[in-house]
Amino acid sequence: MRSSLVKLLELSNVTSSSAASGAPATEAAPLSLCARFPHVPADRLVAELVPPPRFDSVRFDTYVPDPGQPSQAAAVEVLRGFAAGLGRDAAAGGRRRWFGRGKAAAPEGPRGVYLDGGYGVGKTHLLASLWHATPAEPARKAFGTFVELTNLVGALGFQQTVRTLSGHRLLCIDEFELDDPGDTVLVSTLLARLVEAGVALAATSNTLPGKLGEGRFASADFLREIQGLSAHFRPVRIDGEDYRHRGLPKAPEPWTSEQVTAAARGTEGASLDAFPDLLDHLATVHPSRYGALTDGLGAVCLTGVCPVPDQSKALRLVVLADRLYDREVPVVASGVPFDRLFGEEMLAGGYRKKYFRAISRLTALAREAGELIT
């Protein structure tokens, strides 16, 4: 969901600049991500808990399982059954206290699904399809990333977040991660309260629920919280290769800086930034606002792409790559290829699946940007 206000402000800025210089609006300088410091009000955070533009029209029927990976077709059937079960629950009298002390009898087994698999096997597609297939009004089901969920708590407060989401039939959490012990406790407590209220849960991640935190933290202080989360979900494994590159040619080579600059000037709503400057700017914007950072963009143009120097910058770039991919914003870049963004140590560490996902998604966006080069 893109902000009309932001678009109007950008149009106003372009018009004002053009009038002052006497140049036509079409010759205005490209936008800059580094000049943006978005503020996202709490009501927008709640309103945007829906599948992003790339996944707005996906359905179970549009998911194409790999014939060589039977777990993919099996996952579709599990999720179809899960959505049908939510419909039966609604017909039987609405929400149930599945894990709490309600008067209604609690069904056997966990009432959440957890889609586990590598990057590019279609987990987000399936999670969004579940959201669409669940028989409830959009206001009674929520879809967001783990980062967006934690930021919602920060904006509304814990108790208000519980009240806001407790009336939902389904909460879908994409890119479920536990990179911080505080977030571990926060989300564990939140989900426990929502489950007591009868909210069904669904999540995606690259790590099984009982393995969350491995390769990142090994502290016994929050291991108990991790194990508690796993009890809420039925793990559904999805094997396979990255569909974004299945049968496709090699990723495009980077363009020259001159080509990138020309593409930025010739594409409506394009931004143009030096890659090192963008990495520094991302540190000044909370990752939960990266979606708003990209509001109204027709393309992101980057010059001087280079290996990311440290893990903090790398993880922020991963979040930006996810938001650009969700919003279908093509990326035109000069410098090193995207498969050289992260060093060998990063690709062998605990966040390696995040980095591979970012490479995969940025490569897909680079392919989509090819038509912008003249």
Side-chain angles (χ1 to χ4, degrees), residues 24 28 55 57 61-62 84 86 94 101 108 114 131 133 186 191 209 237 277 289 292 294 303 344 348-349 355 358:
F55 301 100
S57 61
D61 289 340
T62 65
L86 293 178
R101 296 180 178 178
E108 295 181 3
Y114 192 104
W131 187 92
L186 175 69
L191 295 186
R237 178 69 186 176
D277 293 342
R289 299 179 182 177
T294 68
T303 59
E344 292 183 6
Y355 298 141

Side-chain angles (χ1 to χ4, degrees), residues 53-348:
R54 183 176 292 273
F55 301 100
D56 184 51
S57 61
V58 301
R59 300 294 187 272
F60 290 132
D61 289 340
T62 65
Y63 181 78
V64 182
D66 184 343
Q69 301 292 343
S71 63
Q72 295 186 9
V76 173
E77 294 309 308
V78 170
L79 293 177
R80 285 186 188 275
F82 188 75
L86 293 178
R88 289 192 296 270
D89 289 338
R95 296 179 291 120
R96 299 180 181 179
R97 289 183 168 274
W98 293 326
F99 295 94
R101 296 180 178 178
K103 294 182 179 180
E108 295 181 3
R111 290 303 302 263
V113 289
Y114 192 104
L115 306 183
D116 175 75
Y119 56 93
V121 296
K123 299 187 303 297
T124 303
H125 182 135
L126 291 175
L127 188 69
S129 298
L130 173 64
W131 187 92
H132 289 297
T134 297
E137 294 297 321
R140 297 250 347 252
K141 48 187 178 179
F143 183 106
T145 65
F146 183 81
V147 171
E148 290 168 336
L149 183 62
T150 56
N151 185 54
L152 183 66
V153 177
L156 298 182
F158 183 82
Q159 295 300 336
Q160 183 58 41
T161 301
V162 171
R163 286 191 290 269
T164 298
L165 297 179
S166 288
H168 286 56
R169 184 165 297 156
L170 173 69
L171 171 62
C172 295
I173 310 169
D174 200 19
E175 302 158 19
F176 200 107
E177 298 289 351
L178 296 177
D179 301 334
D180 178 87
D183 285 345
T184 301
V185 176
L186 175 69
V187 174
S188 176
T189 307
L190 174 64
L191 295 186
R193 292 285 296 276
L194 295 179
V195 162
E196 288 178 0
V199 181
L201 306 173
T204 73
S205 181
N206 300 115
T207 308
L208 285 169
K211 301 295 185 180
L212 287 171
E214 283 193 0
R216 305 183 183 100
F217 302 97
S219 170
D221 291 341
F222 69 95
L223 180 60
R224 171 176 47 81
E225 299 294 338
I226 293 173
Q227 296 299 328
L229 282 177
S230 67
H232 293 313
F233 298 95
R234 170 188 174 183
V236 179
R237 178 69 186 176
I238 306 176
D239 299 302
E241 62 177 304
D242 186 348
Y243 78 93
R244 285 180 285 268
H245 308 297
R246 193 189 304 165
L248 292 176
K250 183 181 177 182
E253 291 296 321
W255 305 100
T256 67
S257 294
E258 292 75 16
Q259 287 174 310
V260 173
T261 300
R265 293 186 178 279
T267 303
E268 183 180 357
S271 64
L272 177 63
D273 295 277
F275 184 70
D277 293 342
L278 177 59
L279 291 182
D280 291 338
H281 181 63
L282 291 179
T284 69
V285 180
H286 191 277
S288 64
R289 299 179 182 177
Y290 288 3
L293 189 69
T294 68
D295 272 343
L297 291 184
V300 165
C301 300
L302 302 171
T303 59
V305 172
C306 57
V308 184
D310 62 71
Q311 191 135 263
S312 295
K313 291 183 176 180
L315 290 172
R316 287 192 285 267
L317 180 61
V318 167
V319 178
L320 178 63
D322 287 337
R323 301 293 76 78
L324 292 173
Y325 184 78
D326 288 345
R327 288 157 175 77
E328 302 180 303
V329 181
V331 177
V332 185
S334 69
V336 304
F338 286 134
D339 60 4
R340 290 171 51 192
L341 277 175
F342 310 109
E344 292 183 6
E345 184 175 350
M346 291 184 187
L347 295 179

